[in-house]
Amino acid sequence: MVKRSVLTHRVFTGISRRHLACLVEELAGQWQAGVEGRRHAARGGSRRRAAGAGARHQLVFVDRLTATLIHLPHAVLALVYGVDRSTITRAIGEIRTLLAERGCAVPDTPGLRLRTLPDVFAYAQAEGVELRLDATEIQVRRPPAGRGGRRAFVSGKKKQNTMKASVIADHQGRTLWVDALRPGRMHDATAARNEGIGICFRRYRNVEVLLDDGYLGLRRDHPGQAVTPPRKGNKISPPEVLEARRRARHRHSSKRITVEHALADHKRWKQLTRWTRRRDRLPATYQAIAGLVSDRTIEA
């Protein structure tokens, strides 16, 4: 067996050992509470033996967290840790949920995390932050033939089976929020509306969100808050008008580019370049990765 401490190196997990220690301190209590809750439900009441009695976990919490972060097949991890493959799969499912529920870190405010879209808008209004919203697509496996809803995953842009993630970042490209992911065929603006962005715009009137041309419907519904680039000039427009609009679009793109940098940070994780596992596990995985990426705002 490989020495387990070796697997905590950044080469395997993608994060520093200091970051890993902070995650252990933050999530160990939640994991233990979940374990005790499941045991209480299985027993139908309180425990009958003293604390510490009974079988021990083959994988302690640190090993479960490390296994979740490592990008290796479950069978390989099972061989490394000396346990059954099903133990690895179950452990990863537990820890992935905990990581996804953490939310995203708030810049310069350790301990505070943003988990919902209203949280992000409330933070932006309180701190005067101008938000950037964009969507990205991750290629997924095609649904089996004969199953309903296959066309919903076919992206009109990529001509592939994808799932779409909407991401909000600030002016420095720091991730603040990721949605629950939608089928790739859904329009960007529709995905944002389904997450309740219209309600957030009406509740937080001072928040501005920079968008691209794919969100023109939001600009129409929420003028002054949903900010998209100026429309391109047509062929009959005077040269000075064309040049003015070109410069305005360039300025808008220069300010909005930070959300593209945030998406690039997410895609550096190999799992998000092409998702080959079950589609229903991708949202939690993406949210977990976004939370880990956002932790850099605290470490910086």
Side-chain angles (χ1 to χ4, degrees):
M1 288 178 57
V2 176
K3 190 175 181 181
R4 295 187 176 187
S5 60
V6 175
L7 297 177
T8 62
H9 193 277
R10 186 171 196 148
V11 171
F12 297 103
T13 63
I15 63 176
S16 65
R17 284 196 169 111
R18 179 174 173 271
H19 190 179
L20 181 63
C22 292
L23 288 177
V24 171
E25 182 179 358
E26 177 184 349
L27 299 177
Q30 298 179 36
W31 174 76
Q32 187 62 41
V35 171
E36 294 300 329
R38 289 189 293 272
R39 288 176 175 174
H40 186 278
R43 289 190 303 260
S46 58
R47 62 183 304 136
R48 298 179 177 85
R49 291 187 289 180
R56 303 293 195 275
H57 285 291
Q58 291 179 290
L59 280 179
V60 298
F61 178 75
V62 177
D63 292 338
R64 292 169 184 257
L65 180 58
T66 303
T68 305
L69 296 174
I70 294 176
H71 310 309
L72 290 177
H74 296 184
V76 176
L77 289 172
L79 181 64
V80 169
Y81 283 106
V83 297
D84 189 76
R85 181 184 182 278
S86 61
T87 303
I88 292 291
T89 302
R90 183 170 60 254
I92 290 177
E94 294 173 357
I95 305 304
R96 178 172 50 221
T97 302
L98 289 178
L99 291 173
E101 292 174 348
R102 294 174 67 233
C104 296
V106 177
D108 306 321
T109 312
L112 181 63
R113 306 191 72 87
L114 306 176
R115 294 179 174 84
T116 64
L117 191 57
D119 289 346
V120 178
F121 272 70
Y123 162 74
Q125 180 161 291
E127 301 294 332
V129 176
E130 189 178 51
L131 304 177
R132 280 88 167 139
L133 170 66
D134 201 4
T136 185
E137 297 184 47
I138 300 97
Q139 185 178 355
V140 296
R141 296 167 60 182
R142 183 170 60 179
R147 179 172 296 180
R150 293 184 81 197
R151 287 175 56 84
F153 292 92
V154 180
S155 169
K157 179 180 180 180
K158 291 183 174 294
K159 304 298 187 291
Q160 296 174 335
N161 288 267
T162 65
M163 291 189 70
K164 180 171 295 183
S166 299
V167 176
I168 288 181
D170 64 3
H171 62 287
Q172 295 188 29
R174 299 176 293 198
T175 303
L176 299 179
W177 174 79
V178 176
D179 70 346
L181 274 74
R182 307 285 177 174
R185 195 177 187 86
M186 183 176 293
H187 195 277
D188 294 356
T190 303
R193 288 191 181 99
N194 288 346
E195 291 295 331
I197 195 170
I199 298 175
C200 293
F201 274 130
R202 290 190 291 271
R203 182 177 300 175
Y204 302 98
R205 295 288 185 177
N206 297 329
V207 177
E208 292 185 2
V209 182
L210 299 186
L211 308 163
D212 61 15
D213 286 327
Y215 296 90
L216 293 177
L218 288 180
R219 185 186 69 174
R220 180 195 63 232
D221 297 338
H222 308 282
Q225 290 183 277
V227 183
T228 60
R231 302 299 297 269
K232 295 181 180 178
N234 52 37
K235 296 180 180 179
I236 61 174
S237 299
E240 58 273 13
V241 173
L242 293 175
E243 180 63 19
R245 291 194 177 185
R246 186 192 68 79
R247 291 182 178 179
R249 290 178 64 87
H250 180 75
R251 287 193 300 270
H252 182 90
S253 298
S254 298
K255 296 175 65 176
R256 201 190 61 83
I257 194 65
T258 56
V259 69
E260 303 286 356
H261 296 162
L263 296 176
D265 285 340
H266 303 166
K267 293 295 184 69
R268 289 194 179 98
W269 291 67
K270 186 178 179 181
Q271 290 176 312
L272 297 185
T273 55
R274 184 176 184 272
W275 185 253
T276 58
R277 299 179 177 86
R278 293 177 53 176
R279 293 186 307 279
D280 57 356
R281 295 176 180 171
L282 176 57
T285 301
Y286 199 116
Q287 290 169 341
I289 290 175
L292 294 173
V293 171
S294 72
D295 287 344
R296 299 172 187 169
T297 62
I298 298 178
E299 292 186 339

